Amino acid sequence: MTPRHSLTPARAGAASAALVLVLVSAATGSPVSAAGGEGAEGAQATVAYRSVARFGAAGKPRDLLLHPDSKKLYVGSDDLTETADVIESGLHVLDPADGRVRSTVGQAPGPTGALGRRAVRQLLAPLPGDGAVFLYPLRGIGTAKDGDAAAAGAWVPGAAVTHATAGLTPSTVLVAQGPVLSEVDIATAAVKRSVTLEGGDGFAVDAARGTVWFTDTADRRMYRIDAATFQVTATVALPAGEGFGGFTEVDPATGAVWVGLGTTVVVHDATGERLGTLRGAGTDMPRAVGFDAATHEAFVVWQDAGDTSQPGSDDDGALTVHRTRDLQEVAKPVVLRGMHAQSGSAAVAVAPGGAVVFVSDPVAGKIDRLERVTSPHVTKNPADRSVAAGTRVSLTAEAEGTPRPAVAWQASTDAGRTWRSVEGATSPTYTFTAAAADNGRRCRAEFTNDAGTAHSAAATLTVTLADATTGGDGSAGPTGSTGGTTAGSGGGSAAAGGSSGASGTSASGGDGSADTTVGGAVVGGAANEGAVGGGAANATPAGGALASTGAAVAPLAGGAVALTAAGWVLRRRARRQRSER
């Protein structure tokens, strides 16, 4: 395997779900987990990036620029080694949504002005409206936009250009020719002014503060150059070591200087004060960084050394995202498979707001489109409810996330120790009528998207029954439906209870001759003492249905018929005795 080598650094260039959910009965469902808890579980609103597409029609990408005005993706490319019979170098213009090549500008002037096929090594700045300023070998400064047949360009006098970037004014660029830093006119490539340093191999411009930072990796130092005088005003020490330089870039928002150095990124503030150091995994080396002004985040591309004989080398790189104010990671690192530094440096371009990031892979000759995903964040939890049986109950849960989280309801009947999915409960609105079996049931909403899962807090349902002292649903049933009867001895009273919970009607027999309707059965007003066991009463409890007493219905009904028949016999006997007198 080829040993590591110094590489030319590449220039770094919320949906929500508000779901109104109605509680559903969870009598059946599939098990979710043997353990679970109340409330939202795990980290919420966790940010990550996922690769959604790979573009492969732009040769071997060397640099990327997402145009701020036209929104087109410009790609500076070289030829792929595995397709030597195909010319792929040039300036490619891609649709950033699907990677479709809109146009390719392959021709640019040589040192004599003759057009020829040129590779594009660095994209230096966007042109107003559309197009890009770029560097092509060995000393060419070119300009072109989408649809141009050929680029305009001029050659910088002197040695080969080793690094270049946007200038201090829109009409200029800065170029390094070894330790010589020059300000060059874009249209003519004429050198306007220059400064010679003791050494150096990369630099960045802080136009807002009128400063240029020039890195001398071999001597482990960084020069601060005043843009007005083009003179060195300070020297800042870099950490000792033997690692190669990956990049030097300035965060436009803060003026902080980010330097890729070996397997670390060293960050200094606008005055040169050290802020901190980032470290990669294993032998991963930082090769590009991009900044987003809206989120104040830095996107670092790490490439593996590509030498598997070194401990920690696995050929995989990574994309990490950091807050610029404290360097803390704000997203899960993205593993970039097969991304090593042996085939050149990667490049990165970040869409405003950080929703989309493009990373070039010089090994595969591809460009990855990565999209920001955010795990669900519960913004509203369902509340506990206490209702009577037969009531329709609703709960509300809301969550945000990107992409929009899917929702599924879960229920627990063991105080949240285990949860079961509620079958069919996956749409925004559900309804159910509370039953006695739902008493004590807990329900929660589970929100899921590509970045993770979050649970709402659990809502507990308390279901109360109707008052048992009034029977049924508490309303009185019609008189005489199926009520039981009681009969007392001569002149005594009789009472009957209504089947639907009405109080029984009392009947008293004064002279034993009156007919009385009691609990729905017609009985004699007075009973012979021996007809019903000496006047003892066999009564249904007042206010309750027969079925609620625990007695069999048929024997009670039979008893009522027997008492009714006995009353008719006694009545006829009394009439006969009066007629005989």
Side-chain angles (χ1 to χ4, degrees), residues 46-50 258 265 278-280 288-302 318-336 348-351 353-359 370-374:
T46 301
V47 177
Y49 282 83
R50 61 173 181 174
W258 292 56
V265 178
L278 306 177
R279 298 187 181 278
V289 63
F291 302 97
D292 178 52
T295 60
H296 302 289
E297 294 171 350
F299 298 76
V300 182
V301 179
W302 304 77
L319 172 71
T320 59
V321 187
H322 308 265
R323 282 195 302 262
T324 55
R325 70 172 183 270
D326 57 13
L327 310 186
Q328 294 300 307
E329 282 193 349
V330 295
K332 296 179 180 179
V334 181
V335 177
L336 303 174
V348 63
V350 182
V356 179
V357 178
F358 299 92
V359 178
L370 306 171
E371 291 184 357
R372 189 184 192 107
V373 293
T374 306

Side-chain angles (χ1 to χ4, degrees), residues 93-504:
V93 186
L94 274 58
D95 185 328
D98 57 14
R100 177 177 57 88
V101 178
R102 298 174 56 92
S103 65
T104 298
V105 182
Q107 301 285 318
T112 63
L115 291 176
R117 191 78 182 195
R118 312 292 178 185
V120 174
R121 297 293 172 83
Q122 283 183 260
L123 297 171
L124 310 183
L127 292 173
D130 189 28
V133 183
F134 57 92
L135 171 69
Y136 60 97
L138 297 170
R139 294 177 281 120
I141 304 297
T143 59
K145 63 179 183 300
D146 183 16
D148 284 351
W155 281 56
V156 180
V161 175
T162 53
H163 188 64
T165 190
L168 297 164
T169 67
S171 63
T172 62
V173 294
L174 294 179
V175 302
Q177 295 165 292
V180 179
L181 176 67
S182 300
E183 184 179 33
V184 175
D185 182 75
I186 294 175
T188 63
V191 175
K192 305 183 69 159
R193 53 183 177 164
S194 63
V195 58
T196 301
L197 306 169
E198 295 181 21
D201 47 19
F203 65 91
V205 176
D206 183 3
R209 296 161 187 81
T211 303
V212 179
W213 292 94
F214 200 101
T215 304
D216 182 355
T217 304
D219 295 320
R220 312 309 262 193
R221 57 191 173 187
M222 188 165 55
Y223 304 104
R224 187 175 67 190
I225 300 170
D226 179 70
T229 63
F230 232 52
Q231 297 296 314
V232 176
T233 59
T235 302
V236 177
L238 294 174
E242 298 180 354
F244 295 102
F247 57 77
T248 301
E249 295 288 351
V250 169
D251 176 9
T254 65
V257 189
W258 292 56
V259 180
L261 200 62
T263 58
T264 65
V265 178
V266 183
V267 184
H268 296 78
D269 68 13
T271 67
E273 185 74 21
R274 179 83 56 82
L275 295 177
T277 301
L278 306 177
R279 298 187 181 278
T283 62
D284 288 356
M285 300 179 293
R287 284 297 181 244
V289 63
F291 302 97
D292 178 52
T295 60
H296 302 289
E297 294 171 350
F299 298 76
V300 182
V301 179
W302 304 77
Q303 291 177 264
D304 187 74
D307 183 356
T308 54
S309 65
Q310 297 185 48
S313 178
D314 58 5
D315 270 2
D316 294 336
L319 172 71
T320 59
V321 187
H322 308 265
R323 282 195 302 262
T324 55
R325 70 172 183 270
D326 57 13
L327 310 186
Q328 294 300 307
E329 282 193 349
V330 295
K332 296 179 180 179
V334 181
V335 177
L336 303 174
R337 301 294 182 191
M339 177 77 82
H340 61 74
Q342 294 300 312
S343 296
S345 292
V348 63
V350 182
V356 179
V357 178
F358 299 92
V359 178
S360 67
D361 182 351
V363 179
K366 306 287 185 181
I367 301 168
D368 281 293
R369 176 188 166 100
L370 306 171
E371 291 184 357
R372 189 184 192 107
V373 293
T374 306
S375 65
H377 170 60
V378 177
T379 58
K380 186 173 184 178
N381 290 299
D384 294 344
R385 296 295 304 276
S386 181
V387 298
T391 302
R392 293 172 77 80
V393 183
S394 66
L395 297 177
T396 300
E398 297 177 359
E400 297 176 345
T402 305
R404 181 187 180 94
V407 64
W409 280 90
Q410 299 173 348
S412 174
T413 57
D414 56 8
R417 288 187 294 273
T418 61
W419 294 89
R420 297 177 69 87
S421 295
V422 179
E423 185 176 356
T426 57
S427 60
T429 302
Y430 296 93
T431 59
F432 101 107
T433 301
D438 290 316
N439 185 49
R441 192 180 304 280
R442 298 187 183 188
C443 288
R444 70 183 184 184
E446 180 180 75
F447 298 95
T448 305
N449 66 10
D450 291 340
T453 298
H455 295 109
S456 72
T460 300
L461 181 66
T462 302
V463 181
T464 58
L465 301 177
D467 188 352
T469 62
T470 61
D473 60 3
S475 61
T479 301
S481 56
T482 56
T485 63
T486 62
S489 60
S493 63
S499 65
S500 59
S503 299

Side-chain angles (χ1 to χ4, degrees), residues 65-76:
L65 185 151
L66 189 61
H67 199 283
D69 300 326
S70 69
K71 313 303 182 186
K72 299 170 185 175
L73 181 63
Y74 279 78
V75 184

